[in-house]
Amino acid sequence: MNAHELRDKTPDELRDTLVQLKKEAFNLRFQAATGQMENTSRIRQVRRDVARIMTILNEKAAAAASTAEA
């Protein structure tokens, strides 16, 4: 998932995706703790995707706030 794809989504869609990724991160942490993890690099991918989505949500909120003030 890249930032260009995410910027095309609405804030509601981004929040839904964020919830899904946080659930996946939770499950991956449990798999890592119990030794059942198959793809260890997935934790890093999910963490970065969460950060990317949160950044874009903040950008959209800042843009909305600046247009509301003007």
Side-chain angles (χ1 to χ4, degrees):
M1 171 178 335
N2 62 28
H4 183 67
E5 294 171 359
L6 294 173
R7 283 193 173 89
D8 294 336
K9 293 185 177 185
T10 66
D12 288 333
E13 291 173 333
L14 289 172
R15 284 186 203 96
D16 291 342
T17 306
L18 185 63
V19 168
Q20 291 171 355
L21 285 172
K22 285 190 174 191
K23 285 180 184 178
E24 183 178 355
F26 178 79
N27 291 330
L28 288 171
R29 284 195 307 270
F30 265 90
Q31 287 177 10
T34 59
Q36 298 174 350
M37 189 139 214
E38 295 176 9
N39 185 5
T40 56
S41 66
R42 184 67 184 143
I43 291 176
R44 182 177 180 182
Q45 291 171 346
V46 170
R47 257 193 7 241
R48 289 184 176 199
D49 285 343
V50 166
R52 196 172 287 124
I53 289 174
M54 291 178 71
T55 299
I56 292 171
L57 279 171
N58 286 335
E59 287 174 356
K60 287 181 182 265
S66 68
T67 58
E69 291 175 1

